[in-house]
Amino acid sequence: MLLVPSVTFYPPPAVSHAGFAATFAGLILGGAELVDKMNRIAVLLALSAFAAVALPAAKQVSGEKLERADWTYVPESAGVLVVAMSFHNTVPSVAKYLGHFHAATQAVVLGVAVPYVMYVVWEGLILGAVGPEDRAGYVCTRSPT
């Protein structure tokens, strides 16, 4: 059953690009308060979408699959972890916008903690639901050198 109707009209790329630019230019020109409200809505939608995917997927998690671990590639992923949590360039803007140190600290801590928790939950769901025997045909493996 199709829940969303099929789209048969696609505007030319130039029209799509102009519409995208105009939409976000309008939001920015609307001021910080409008951007803040839209950002809160976007975060709420993202959290809702994550919950809509994660909660049903949690039924597929198996403790046996979570017990297996291959730490071979962890050192190679360290760079990704550092870059993924790079928020340091936004701290001055956040501090100026919020006005005082406590609020800025709280915003930065929550701004890092929420995506981190979502990432850990997602990894747990994937690793707990898909074992090595399930993903053998889907993952391109290489031999450690």
Side-chain angles (χ1 to χ4, degrees):
M1 181 170 116
L2 187 63
L3 297 176
V4 179
S6 176
V7 176
T8 56
F9 170 74
Y10 296 99
V15 173
S16 298
H17 298 166
F20 180 85
T23 299
F24 285 96
L27 286 174
I28 292 169
L29 290 173
E33 190 173 314
L34 178 60
V35 171
D36 187 36
K37 286 179 184 177
M38 296 308 292
N39 188 49
R40 290 171 191 254
I41 291 170
V43 168
L44 182 63
L45 289 173
L47 290 173
S48 299
F50 181 78
V53 171
L55 292 175
K59 296 174 186 172
Q60 304 297 319
V61 174
S62 162
E64 294 172 0
K65 292 178 182 176
L66 282 174
E67 289 175 0
R68 298 181 192 168
D70 179 6
W71 298 94
T72 309
Y73 301 110
V74 170
E76 294 177 17
S77 66
V80 174
L81 293 174
V82 170
V83 173
M85 297 298 173
S86 64
F87 58 89
H88 58 277
N89 57 344
T90 63
V91 172
S93 300
V94 171
K96 183 178 179 184
Y97 178 71
L98 295 176
H100 50 84
F101 180 76
H102 179 70
T105 302
Q106 187 177 20
V108 169
V109 169
L110 284 173
V112 170
V114 170
Y116 178 75
V117 168
M118 289 173 69
Y119 177 78
V120 170
V121 167
W122 185 254
E123 289 297 319
L125 289 172
I126 297 301
L127 295 174
V130 181
E133 65 281 354
D134 299 327
R135 63 180 181 251
Y138 301 105
V139 177
C140 180
T141 58
R142 66 175 177 84
S143 59
T145 55

